[in-house]
Amino acid sequence: MPVTPRCDQTAPWGQLTEHFKARGRHVDVRQALAQESARFERMGVHAPYVRADFSRNLLDETTQQLLVQLARACELQTSIEALFTGAQLNTTEQRAAWHVLLRCPADYRAENAAMAQALQEMRASQEAFLAFAEQVRHDPSVTDVVNIGIGGSDLGPAVVVQALEAYRSQGKRVHFVSNMDGDDLGLKLRQLDPNRTVFLLASKSFGTAETIVNAQVARAWMLAAHGFTMDPQVHALPAQLPADLRDLIARRFVAMTSNAEAARAFGVEAIFPFADWVGGRFSLWSSIGLSIAIAIGREQFQALLAGAHAMDGHFRSAPIERNLPVQLALLDVWYRNFFGFTSRCIAPYSHGLRRLPAYLQQLEMESNGKGCDWDGRPLALPTAPVVWGEPGTNCQHAFFQLIHQGQQIIPVEFIVLREQGMGTLEQHRALQANAVAQARALTQGKHTGPAHTHCPGNRPSTMLVLDRLDPASVGALIALYEHRTFVAGRLWGINSFDQWGVELGKNLAKEILNTPAQTATNAAAPQDVMAWLG
Ligand SMILES: O=P(O)(O)OC[C@H]1O[C@](O)(CO)[C@@H](O)[C@@H]1O
């Protein structure tokens, strides 16, 4: 993997630092909009399916030019090419990150022999899971499909299925179970018929505690409905299980995994593999997206991939100044490292995109919430901001008060649809008007009337506009965020494809589970709240 310069080790970084102190931090967006009538037009960036208005951000032309120079000094183009030509980007796990291959069209020519081979294997797996999806879709005996997975094996598919609810085949409900808390699965099981439900076990490792426990409980529930009691703590199917029940499990449970052996031991026969080079956070395009394919069908799934591929093409070829993922990532660096803004709010004015903030939390914070660079040197700068949010207009009646008048500045990213979905045109117009009104209010503020009604204004926001919430647009939007995260990581000098920070807590949980209950006499166990939990 090419080691490219970290942003803080480049000449433009020093220039940006000087510029920030002198003028950059004093940018007044109200004045800028008033003085430059073409600001909106100049600062619009158009990518496939997504347009972005940057004009309400704390940016002047010098900042924009220096940020472009920063990207060049970080040799960003080399990193982008490395992503598309198959460099081993995940250096701490010695893995490639070839998720862009998952969405390339049939006539795509792979960059090299290794990628061509990977592509061929991927196509076979893709064909198998899409064919299975069609089979389920046309099977009237199946009414419910439950995806059991967590993190990337849950959030990506869940956000897409929810966003594309209007495309979901009637007569098939798609559920998502992720939490270790047994109430998640337990409450779902109460609504399900064991004779009409198919479970999709989504786990790259097939070893994630939450997923395995939930899968075992679901299997025990299915067997219990057929008169067989099985310990839900046990992974492997018992040898004495009658053949018809073995067959039942094989028909009702399928797996999407890179660990076929563990899935087989569980009793699964239909295994839809995906390669090691698919990272969890980037996996919804692979067989992990089976729930999406069942919900919307092969054709629409392919449209989702095509939308993502269109964004890939833009990312690879657009110049830095007009490259949307790059521009968003540069803005992240500007706000996080110069202004010191610690969070970014995502406000999708779209009911379908209501879970997007949760998805982005994993994508951005698990990818870029790191403490050292790719050479293991401590980072001198803070990296990923906290990403959070809720859909509009709900957010207006909850936390927007703080964003308008609070002491801290939180850049907001609005997502707005041009075309209406369900509901009346009036409802849609009101929704759009509210999003634009919030952006304007953040910019202009209010300085008349009693002090408690004042809003300081000059608060930054970006507006992303999609024509509609269809598979291609959703694919493009998610690919946009993937690439933005990758670019920000490259600028910060981070390996965005590992997540070692989650290991410590997982291991401690195992240790606690394996330690005898805490008692006053158990001196080995540390005294903490476990004493109250029993
Ligand atoms: O697909 P798996 O192996 O069950 O992993 C689930 C999730 O757990 C993590 O490894 C850590 O949270 C994520 O990166 C991943 O998406």
Side-chain angles (χ1 to χ4, degrees):
M1 172 56 221
V3 174
T4 49
R6 248 167 55 176
C7 61
D8 55 331
Q9 297 169 336
T10 63
W13 190 262
Q15 291 165 275
L16 274 164
T17 308
E18 288 310 310
H19 175 65
F20 177 75
K21 281 190 214 142
R23 283 182 294 125
R25 67 183 158 149
H26 301 302
V27 166
D28 187 320
V29 176
R30 289 160 293 205
Q31 273 176 22
L33 282 167
Q35 282 163 7
E36 188 195 349
S37 57
R39 184 174 165 95
F40 168 70
E41 212 180 305
R42 181 175 63 78
M43 295 179 72
V45 179
H46 297 224
Y49 303 98
V50 189
R51 280 175 283 180
D53 169 26
F54 285 86
S55 68
R56 295 184 184 276
N57 281 296
L58 304 174
L59 293 167
D60 61 15
E61 285 195 61
T62 309
T63 307
Q64 287 189 289
Q65 285 158 10
L66 287 172
L67 287 172
V68 168
Q69 287 172 29
L70 180 74
R72 294 215 173 94
C74 291
E75 297 168 25
L76 190 59
Q77 212 57 51
T78 306
S79 295
I80 296 174
E81 273 309 287
L83 180 74
F84 286 93
T85 53
Q88 201 168 76
L89 287 162
N90 184 351
T91 44
T92 59
E93 296 175 320
Q94 289 79 47
R95 277 189 200 143
W98 292 352
H99 45 281
V100 292
L101 277 190
L102 296 166
R103 53 232 192 181
C104 61
D107 58 356
Y108 183 82
R109 286 191 47 193
E111 298 285 337
N112 51 52
M115 290 181 99
Q117 171 72 26
L119 194 56
Q120 210 179 353
E121 286 163 15
M122 185 282 284
R123 293 253 184 261
S125 156
Q126 192 177 68
E127 184 43 44
F129 84 78
L130 290 179
F132 179 77
E134 291 305 307
Q135 200 182 308
V136 174
R137 282 166 65 76
H138 294 109
D139 182 346
S141 75
V142 178
T143 53
D144 293 86
V145 173
V146 184
N147 185 87
I148 299 184
I150 197 164
S153 298
D154 165 71
L155 288 162
V159 86
V160 173
V161 168
Q162 199 172 60
L164 299 177
E165 171 67 20
Y167 290 77
R168 183 173 59 80
S169 140
Q170 297 300 304
K172 294 276 179 279
R173 285 180 294 264
V174 182
H175 313 266
F176 290 86
V177 169
S178 56
N179 204 329
M180 174 76 83
D181 184 340
D183 284 2
D184 191 359
L185 177 62
L187 291 169
K188 295 264 163 38
L189 292 181
R190 281 181 12 181
Q191 314 162 22
L192 298 172
D193 176 345
N195 294 311
R196 294 178 157 268
T197 302
V198 168
F199 289 94
L200 314 179
L201 309 182
S203 176
K204 180 175 177 178
S205 58
F206 218 81
T208 302
E210 291 88 340
T211 302
I212 299 307
V213 168
N214 279 322
Q216 286 169 186
V217 172
R219 186 184 55 184
W221 169 81
M222 176 86 64
L223 289 171
H226 292 83
F228 186 91
T229 306
M230 181 168 177
D231 181 353
Q233 308 285 337
V234 172
H235 184 81
L237 270 190
Q240 78 276 19
L241 191 70
D244 59 328
L245 293 185
R246 201 169 275 278
D247 182 54
L248 172 79
I249 298 303
R251 279 185 288 109
R252 295 288 171 183
F253 287 80
V254 306
M256 303 91 85
T257 185
S258 301
N259 184 356
E261 205 183 314
R264 252 181 243 114
F266 180 91
V268 175
E269 280 173 21
I271 296 170
F272 302 104
F274 61 98
D276 203 37
W277 46 260
V278 182
R281 297 185 282 290
F282 304 86
S283 63
L284 73 92
W285 324 98
S286 72
S287 59
I288 286 289
L290 178 56
S291 54
I292 305 172
I294 293 174
I296 65 174
R298 175 194 282 266
E299 219 171 286
Q300 299 299 352
F301 189 85
Q302 275 160 347
L304 176 85
L305 299 182
H309 180 70
M311 186 59 74
D312 294 342
H314 166 84
F315 179 48
R316 191 172 183 183
S317 63
I320 286 173
E321 296 85 343
R322 317 300 308 159
N323 192 312
L324 188 49
V326 175
Q327 287 297 319
L328 287 168
L330 288 169
L331 191 61
D332 290 339
V333 170
W334 179 237
Y335 283 158
R336 185 70 194 94
N337 300 128
F338 291 91
F339 281 95
F341 300 152
T342 54
S343 83
R344 188 173 90 248
C345 172
I346 312 288
Y349 275 61
S350 157
H351 183 66
L353 292 175
R354 61 196 177 281
R355 285 275 285 161
L356 186 71
Y359 166 78
L360 294 179
Q361 283 174 337
Q362 190 207 14
L363 179 63
E364 297 195 32
M365 292 159 77
E366 194 166 88
S367 298
N368 288 343
K370 303 285 167 64
C372 65
D373 70 8
W374 45 51
D375 285 330
R377 293 172 301 188
L379 288 165
L381 302 168
T383 56
V386 172
V387 175
W388 60 287
E390 280 288 318
T393 56
N394 300 9
C395 54
Q396 293 174 205
H397 300 272
F399 51 78
F400 261 47
Q401 161 64 34
L402 182 148
I403 295 185
H404 287 292
Q405 283 191 320
Q407 304 290 307
Q408 54 197 303
I409 297 180
I410 300 171
V412 182
E413 207 156 277
F414 295 98
I415 302 174
V416 187
L417 307 180
R418 196 167 67 83
E419 294 174 14
Q420 75 183 101
M422 291 175 184
T424 64
L425 185 58
E426 286 66 35
Q427 273 178 304
H428 188 60
R429 290 237 166 92
L431 184 68
Q432 290 175 327
N434 270 276
V436 175
Q438 290 301 317
R440 286 188 190 170
L442 287 168
T443 307
Q444 74 197 36
K446 177 179 183 291
H447 307 93
T448 53
H452 63 267
T453 67
H454 290 188
C455 295
N458 206 32
R459 301 218 154 170
S461 67
T462 306
M463 184 85 64
L464 301 181
V465 177
L466 274 61
D467 279 348
R468 63 192 76 83
L469 207 57
D470 63 7
S473 309
V474 170
L477 182 69
I478 292 181
L480 166 67
Y481 278 109
E482 286 182 354
H483 295 321
R484 173 221 204 125
T485 304
F486 169 65
V487 172
R490 292 302 297 180
L491 297 172
W492 282 317
I494 290 172
N495 172 8
S496 300
F497 298 103
D498 66 7
Q499 59 283 320
W500 292 99
V502 299
E503 293 305 313
L504 176 61
K506 280 188 200 170
N507 292 336
L508 286 176
K510 277 188 211 147
E511 212 175 286
I512 292 169
L513 279 173
N514 296 332
T515 307
Q518 260 177 27
T519 61
T521 52
N522 184 358
Q527 282 301 308
D528 68 7
V529 77
M530 276 309 291
W532 296 343
L533 296 173

mmCIF file with all atom_site columns, all heavy atoms in Angstrom, residues 358-375:
data_model
loop_
_atom_site.group_PDB
_atom_site.id
_atom_site.type_symbol
_atom_site.label_atom_id
_atom_site.label_alt_id
_atom_site.label_comp_id
_atom_site.label_asym_id
_atom_site.label_entity_id
_atom_site.label_seq_id
_atom_site.pdbx_PDB_ins_code
_atom_site.Cartn_x
_atom_site.Cartn_y
_atom_site.Cartn_z
_atom_site.occupancy
_atom_site.B_iso_or_equiv
_atom_site.pdbx_formal_charge
_atom_site.auth_seq_id
_atom_site.auth_comp_id
_atom_site.auth_asym_id
_atom_site.auth_atom_id
_atom_site.pdbx_PDB_model_num
ATOM 1   N N   . ALA A 1 358 ? -27.541 6.249  12.206 1.00 0.00 ? 358 ALA A N   1
ATOM 2   C CA  . ALA A 1 358 ? -26.990 5.079  12.919 1.00 0.00 ? 358 ALA A CA  1
ATOM 3   C C   . ALA A 1 358 ? -25.999 4.337  12.017 1.00 0.00 ? 358 ALA A C   1
ATOM 4   O O   . ALA A 1 358 ? -24.932 3.901  12.459 1.00 0.00 ? 358 ALA A O   1
ATOM 5   C CB  . ALA A 1 358 ? -28.121 4.148  13.343 1.00 0.00 ? 358 ALA A CB  1
ATOM 6   N N   . TYR A 1 359 ? -26.358 4.202  10.753 1.00 0.00 ? 359 TYR A N   1
ATOM 7   C CA  . TYR A 1 359 ? -25.462 3.540  9.801  1.00 0.00 ? 359 TYR A CA  1
ATOM 8   C C   . TYR A 1 359 ? -24.151 4.320  9.681  1.00 0.00 ? 359 TYR A C   1
ATOM 9   O O   . TYR A 1 359 ? -23.059 3.747  9.693  1.00 0.00 ? 359 TYR A O   1
ATOM 10  C CB  . TYR A 1 359 ? -26.166 3.436  8.436  1.00 0.00 ? 359 TYR A CB  1
ATOM 11  C CG  . TYR A 1 359 ? -25.225 3.073  7.315  1.00 0.00 ? 359 TYR A CG  1
ATOM 12  C CD1 . TYR A 1 359 ? -24.796 1.763  7.143  1.00 0.00 ? 359 TYR A CD1 1
ATOM 13  C CD2 . TYR A 1 359 ? -24.731 4.048  6.461  1.00 0.00 ? 359 TYR A CD2 1
ATOM 14  C CE1 . TYR A 1 359 ? -23.896 1.441  6.136  1.00 0.00 ? 359 TYR A CE1 1
ATOM 15  C CE2 . TYR A 1 359 ? -23.844 3.739  5.454  1.00 0.00 ? 359 TYR A CE2 1
ATOM 16  C CZ  . TYR A 1 359 ? -23.427 2.429  5.303  1.00 0.00 ? 359 TYR A CZ  1
ATOM 17  O OH  . TYR A 1 359 ? -22.531 2.124  4.319  1.00 0.00 ? 359 TYR A OH  1
ATOM 18  N N   . LEU A 1 360 ? -24.267 5.648  9.588  1.00 0.00 ? 360 LEU A N   1
ATOM 19  C CA  . LEU A 1 360 ? -23.066 6.471  9.425  1.00 0.00 ? 360 LEU A CA  1
ATOM 20  C C   . LEU A 1 360 ? -22.203 6.480  10.677 1.00 0.00 ? 360 LEU A C   1
ATOM 21  O O   . LEU A 1 360 ? -20.989 6.658  10.605 1.00 0.00 ? 360 LEU A O   1
ATOM 22  C CB  . LEU A 1 360 ? -23.456 7.901  9.039  1.00 0.00 ? 360 LEU A CB  1
ATOM 23  C CG  . LEU A 1 360 ? -24.105 8.031  7.656  1.00 0.00 ? 360 LEU A CG  1
ATOM 24  C CD1 . LEU A 1 360 ? -24.490 9.475  7.374  1.00 0.00 ? 360 LEU A CD1 1
ATOM 25  C CD2 . LEU A 1 360 ? -23.171 7.508  6.562  1.00 0.00 ? 360 LEU A CD2 1
ATOM 26  N N   . GLN A 1 361 ? -22.845 6.286  11.821 1.00 0.00 ? 361 GLN A N   1
ATOM 27  C CA  . GLN A 1 361 ? -22.046 6.208  13.052 1.00 0.00 ? 361 GLN A CA  1
ATOM 28  C C   . GLN A 1 361 ? -21.053 5.071  12.964 1.00 0.00 ? 361 GLN A C   1
ATOM 29  O O   . GLN A 1 361 ? -19.886 5.214  13.308 1.00 0.00 ? 361 GLN A O   1
ATOM 30  C CB  . GLN A 1 361 ? -22.959 6.033  14.271 1.00 0.00 ? 361 GLN A CB  1
ATOM 31  C CG  . GLN A 1 361 ? -23.606 7.341  14.658 1.00 0.00 ? 361 GLN A CG  1
ATOM 32  C CD  . GLN A 1 361 ? -24.626 7.212  15.750 1.00 0.00 ? 361 GLN A CD  1
ATOM 33  O OE1 . GLN A 1 361 ? -25.182 6.141  15.965 1.00 0.00 ? 361 GLN A OE1 1
ATOM 34  N NE2 . GLN A 1 361 ? -24.883 8.307  16.431 1.00 0.00 ? 361 GLN A NE2 1
ATOM 35  N N   . GLN A 1 362 ? -21.532 3.919  12.500 1.00 0.00 ? 362 GLN A N   1
ATOM 36  C CA  . GLN A 1 362 ? -20.573 2.815  12.379 1.00 0.00 ? 362 GLN A CA  1
ATOM 37  C C   . GLN A 1 362 ? -19.560 3.109  11.275 1.00 0.00 ? 362 GLN A C   1
ATOM 38  O O   . GLN A 1 362 ? -18.360 2.972  11.464 1.00 0.00 ? 362 GLN A O   1
ATOM 39  C CB  . GLN A 1 362 ? -21.260 1.476  12.093 1.00 0.00 ? 362 GLN A CB  1
ATOM 40  C CG  . GLN A 1 362 ? -20.244 0.333  12.226 1.00 0.00 ? 362 GLN A CG  1
ATOM 41  C CD  . GLN A 1 362 ? -20.524 -0.903 11.403 1.00 0.00 ? 362 GLN A CD  1
ATOM 42  O OE1 . GLN A 1 362 ? -21.346 -0.904 10.503 1.00 0.00 ? 362 GLN A OE1 1
ATOM 43  N NE2 . GLN A 1 362 ? -19.821 -1.973 11.712 1.00 0.00 ? 362 GLN A NE2 1
ATOM 44  N N   . LEU A 1 363 ? -20.082 3.522  10.119 1.00 0.00 ? 363 LEU A N   1
ATOM 45  C CA  . LEU A 1 363 ? -19.177 3.728  8.979  1.00 0.00 ? 363 LEU A CA  1
ATOM 46  C C   . LEU A 1 363 ? -18.056 4.706  9.329  1.00 0.00 ? 363 LEU A C   1
ATOM 47  O O   . LEU A 1 363 ? -16.876 4.422  9.130  1.00 0.00 ? 363 LEU A O   1
ATOM 48  C CB  . LEU A 1 363 ? -19.975 4.252  7.776  1.00 0.00 ? 363 LEU A CB  1
ATOM 49  C CG  . LEU A 1 363 ? -19.145 4.547  6.522  1.00 0.00 ? 363 LEU A CG  1
ATOM 50  C CD1 . LEU A 1 363 ? -18.500 3.287  5.973  1.00 0.00 ? 363 LEU A CD1 1
ATOM 51  C CD2 . LEU A 1 363 ? -19.995 5.213  5.444  1.00 0.00 ? 363 LEU A CD2 1
ATOM 52  N N   . GLU A 1 364 ? -18.416 5.840  9.861  1.00 0.00 ? 364 GLU A N   1
ATOM 53  C CA  . GLU A 1 364 ? -17.397 6.881  10.062 1.00 0.00 ? 364 GLU A CA  1
ATOM 54  C C   . GLU A 1 364 ? -16.629 6.706  11.364 1.00 0.00 ? 364 GLU A C   1
ATOM 55  O O   . GLU A 1 364 ? -15.417 6.874  11.398 1.00 0.00 ? 364 GLU A O   1
ATOM 56  C CB  . GLU A 1 364 ? -18.048 8.267  10.031 1.00 0.00 ? 364 GLU A CB  1
ATOM 57  C CG  . GLU A 1 364 ? -18.675 8.568  8.680  1.00 0.00 ? 364 GLU A CG  1
ATOM 58  C CD  . GLU A 1 364 ? -19.004 10.037 8.498  1.00 0.00 ? 364 GLU A CD  1
ATOM 59  O OE1 . GLU A 1 364 ? -18.281 10.889 9.037  1.00 0.00 ? 364 GLU A OE1 1
ATOM 60  O OE2 . GLU A 1 364 ? -20.013 10.330 7.826  1.00 0.00 ? 364 GLU A OE2 1
ATOM 61  N N   . MET A 1 365 ? -17.340 6.345  12.431 1.00 0.00 ? 365 MET A N   1
ATOM 62  C CA  . MET A 1 365 ? -16.654 6.316  13.733 1.00 0.00 ? 365 MET A CA  1
ATOM 63  C C   . MET A 1 365 ? -15.859 5.029  13.920 1.00 0.00 ? 365 MET A C   1
ATOM 64  O O   . MET A 1 365 ? -14.806 5.033  14.549 1.00 0.00 ? 365 MET A O   1
ATOM 65  C CB  . MET A 1 365 ? -17.667 6.559  14.852 1.00 0.00 ? 365 MET A CB  1
ATOM 66  C CG  . MET A 1 365 ? -18.198 7.993  14.802 1.00 0.00 ? 365 MET A CG  1
ATOM 67  S SD  . MET A 1 365 ? -19.761 8.250  15.639 1.00 0.00 ? 365 MET A SD  1
ATOM 68  C CE  . MET A 1 365 ? -19.270 8.287  17.329 1.00 0.00 ? 365 MET A CE  1
ATOM 69  N N   . GLU A 1 366 ? -16.363 3.914  13.382 1.00 0.00 ? 366 GLU A N   1
ATOM 70  C CA  . GLU A 1 366 ? -15.575 2.676  13.484 1.00 0.00 ? 366 GLU A CA  1
ATOM 71  C C   . GLU A 1 366 ? -14.392 2.736  12.507 1.00 0.00 ? 366 GLU A C   1
ATOM 72  O O   . GLU A 1 366 ? -13.327 2.188  12.779 1.00 0.00 ? 366 GLU A O   1
ATOM 73  C CB  . GLU A 1 366 ? -16.453 1.445  13.210 1.00 0.00 ? 366 GLU A CB  1
ATOM 74  C CG  . GLU A 1 366 ? -15.788 0.140  13.640 1.00 0.00 ? 366 GLU A CG  1
ATOM 75  C CD  . GLU A 1 366 ? -16.745 -1.064 13.696 1.00 0.00 ? 366 GLU A CD  1
ATOM 76  O OE1 . GLU A 1 366 ? -16.908 -1.727 12.662 1.00 0.00 ? 366 GLU A OE1 1
ATOM 77  O OE2 . GLU A 1 366 ? -17.324 -1.330 14.769 1.00 0.00 ? 366 GLU A OE2 1
ATOM 78  N N   . SER A 1 367 ? -14.576 3.413  11.382 1.00 0.00 ? 367 SER A N   1
ATOM 79  C CA  . SER A 1 367 ? -13.488 3.491  10.402 1.00 0.00 ? 367 SER A CA  1
ATOM 80  C C   . SER A 1 367 ? -12.411 4.480  10.834 1.00 0.00 ? 367 SER A C   1
ATOM 81  O O   . SER A 1 367 ? -11.219 4.205  10.709 1.00 0.00 ? 367 SER A O   1
ATOM 82  C CB  . SER A 1 367 ? -14.034 3.919  9.033  1.00 0.00 ? 367 SER A CB  1
ATOM 83  O OG  . SER A 1 367 ? -14.945 2.969  8.543  1.00 0.00 ? 367 SER A OG  1
ATOM 84  N N   . ASN A 1 368 ? -12.835 5.640  11.311 1.00 0.00 ? 368 ASN A N   1
ATOM 85  C CA  . ASN A 1 368 ? -11.856 6.718  11.505 1.00 0.00 ? 368 ASN A CA  1
ATOM 86  C C   . ASN A 1 368 ? -11.682 7.165  12.956 1.00 0.00 ? 368 ASN A C   1
ATOM 87  O O   . ASN A 1 368 ? -10.960 8.130  13.209 1.00 0.00 ? 368 ASN A O   1
ATOM 88  C CB  . ASN A 1 368 ? -12.235 7.916  10.627 1.00 0.00 ? 368 ASN A CB  1
ATOM 89  C CG  . ASN A 1 368 ? -11.982 7.631  9.153  1.00 0.00 ? 368 ASN A CG  1
ATOM 90  O OD1 . ASN A 1 368 ? -11.252 6.705  8.816  1.00 0.00 ? 368 ASN A OD1 1
ATOM 91  N ND2 . ASN A 1 368 ? -12.592 8.407  8.278  1.00 0.00 ? 368 ASN A ND2 1
ATOM 92  N N   . GLY A 1 369 ? -12.313 6.485  13.871 1.00 0.00 ? 369 GLY A N   1
ATOM 93  C CA  . GLY A 1 369 ? -12.101 6.817  15.292 1.00 0.00 ? 369 GLY A CA  1
ATOM 94  C C   . GLY A 1 369 ? -10.848 6.107  15.784 1.00 0.00 ? 369 GLY A C   1
ATOM 95  O O   . GLY A 1 369 ? -10.938 5.086  16.472 1.00 0.00 ? 369 GLY A O   1
ATOM 96  N N   . LYS A 1 370 ? -9.704  6.629  15.419 1.00 0.00 ? 370 LYS A N   1
ATOM 97  C CA  . LYS A 1 370 ? -8.446  5.910  15.672 1.00 0.00 ? 370 LYS A CA  1
ATOM 98  C C   . LYS A 1 370 ? -7.458  6.806  16.421 1.00 0.00 ? 370 LYS A C   1
ATOM 99  O O   . LYS A 1 370 ? -7.549  8.031  16.379 1.00 0.00 ? 370 LYS A O   1
ATOM 100 C CB  . LYS A 1 370 ? -7.809  5.482  14.336 1.00 0.00 ? 370 LYS A CB  1
ATOM 101 C CG  . LYS A 1 370 ? -8.707  4.619  13.442 1.00 0.00 ? 370 LYS A CG  1
ATOM 102 C CD  . LYS A 1 370 ? -8.834  3.201  13.939 1.00 0.00 ? 370 LYS A CD  1
ATOM 103 C CE  . LYS A 1 370 ? -9.937  2.397  13.272 1.00 0.00 ? 370 LYS A CE  1
ATOM 104 N NZ  . LYS A 1 370 ? -9.798  2.154  11.841 1.00 0.00 ? 370 LYS A NZ  1
ATOM 105 N N   . GLY A 1 371 ? -6.494  6.145  17.062 1.00 0.00 ? 371 GLY A N   1
ATOM 106 C CA  . GLY A 1 371 ? -5.517  6.889  17.859 1.00 0.00 ? 371 GLY A CA  1
ATOM 107 C C   . GLY A 1 371 ? -4.131  6.934  17.261 1.00 0.00 ? 371 GLY A C   1
ATOM 108 O O   . GLY A 1 371 ? -3.285  7.715  17.693 1.00 0.00 ? 371 GLY A O   1
ATOM 109 N N   . CYS A 1 372 ? -3.878  6.054  16.279 1.00 0.00 ? 372 CYS A N   1
ATOM 110 C CA  . CYS A 1 372 ? -2.541  6.128  15.676 1.00 0.00 ? 372 CYS A CA  1
ATOM 111 C C   . CYS A 1 372 ? -2.641  5.987  14.160 1.00 0.00 ? 372 CYS A C   1
ATOM 112 O O   . CYS A 1 372 ? -3.665  5.544  13.635 1.00 0.00 ? 372 CYS A O   1
ATOM 113 C CB  . CYS A 1 372 ? -1.603  5.095  16.291 1.00 0.00 ? 372 CYS A CB  1
ATOM 114 S SG  . CYS A 1 372 ? -2.050  3.417  15.971 1.00 0.00 ? 372 CYS A SG  1
ATOM 115 N N   . ASP A 1 373 ? -1.581  6.400  13.494 1.00 0.00 ? 373 ASP A N   1
ATOM 116 C CA  . ASP A 1 373 ? -1.616  6.373  12.038 1.00 0.00 ? 373 ASP A CA  1
ATOM 117 C C   . ASP A 1 373 ? -1.263  4.973  11.534 1.00 0.00 ? 373 ASP A C   1
ATOM 118 O O   . ASP A 1 373 ? -1.036  4.047  12.327 1.00 0.00 ? 373 ASP A O   1
ATOM 119 C CB  . ASP A 1 373 ? -0.716  7.469  11.438 1.00 0.00 ? 373 ASP A CB  1
ATOM 120 C CG  . ASP A 1 373 ? 0.773   7.192  11.625 1.00 0.00 ? 373 ASP A CG  1
ATOM 121 O OD1 . ASP A 1 373 ? 1.141   6.083  12.076 1.00 0.00 ? 373 ASP A OD1 1
ATOM 122 O OD2 . ASP A 1 373 ? 1.579   8.077  11.321 1.00 0.00 ? 373 ASP A OD2 1
ATOM 123 N N   . TRP A 1 374 ? -1.198  4.837  10.221 1.00 0.00 ? 374 TRP A N   1
ATOM 124 C CA  . TRP A 1 374 ? -0.979  3.501  9.639  1.00 0.00 ? 374 TRP A CA  1
ATOM 125 C C   . TRP A 1 374 ? 0.408   2.955  9.929  1.00 0.00 ? 374 TRP A C   1
ATOM 126 O O   . TRP A 1 374 ? 0.677   1.789  9.674  1.00 0.00 ? 374 TRP A O   1
ATOM 127 C CB  . TRP A 1 374 ? -1.281  3.481  8.146  1.00 0.00 ? 374 TRP A CB  1
ATOM 128 C CG  . TRP A 1 374 ? -0.724  4.645  7.380  1.00 0.00 ? 374 TRP A CG  1
ATOM 129 C CD1 . TRP A 1 374 ? 0.553   5.108  7.402  1.00 0.00 ? 374 TRP A CD1 1
ATOM 130 C CD2 . TRP A 1 374 ? -1.441  5.510  6.512  1.00 0.00 ? 374 TRP A CD2 1
ATOM 131 N NE1 . TRP A 1 374 ? 0.680   6.201  6.594  1.00 0.00 ? 374 TRP A NE1 1
ATOM 132 C CE2 . TRP A 1 374 ? -0.525  6.470  6.026  1.00 0.00 ? 374 TRP A CE2 1
ATOM 133 C CE3 . TRP A 1 374 ? -2.773  5.558  6.073  1.00 0.00 ? 374 TRP A CE3 1
ATOM 134 C CZ2 . TRP A 1 374 ? -0.895  7.480  5.146  1.00 0.00 ? 374 TRP A CZ2 1
ATOM 135 C CZ3 . TRP A 1 374 ? -3.122  6.551  5.191  1.00 0.00 ? 374 TRP A CZ3 1
ATOM 136 C CH2 . TRP A 1 374 ? -2.201  7.496  4.732  1.00 0.00 ? 374 TRP A CH2 1
ATOM 137 N N   . ASP A 1 375 ? 1.299   3.808  10.464 1.00 0.00 ? 375 ASP A N   1
ATOM 138 C CA  . ASP A 1 375 ? 2.610   3.296  10.870 1.00 0.00 ? 375 ASP A CA  1
ATOM 139 C C   . ASP A 1 375 ? 2.680   3.061  12.370 1.00 0.00 ? 375 ASP A C   1
ATOM 140 O O   . ASP A 1 375 ? 3.758   2.819  12.911 1.00 0.00 ? 375 ASP A O   1
ATOM 141 C CB  . ASP A 1 375 ? 3.710   4.296  10.466 1.00 0.00 ? 375 ASP A CB  1
ATOM 142 C CG  . ASP A 1 375 ? 3.967   4.249  8.972  1.00 0.00 ? 375 ASP A CG  1
ATOM 143 O OD1 . ASP A 1 375 ? 3.783   3.156  8.395  1.00 0.00 ? 375 ASP A OD1 1
ATOM 144 O OD2 . ASP A 1 375 ? 4.328   5.286  8.398  1.00 0.00 ? 375 ASP A OD2 1
#
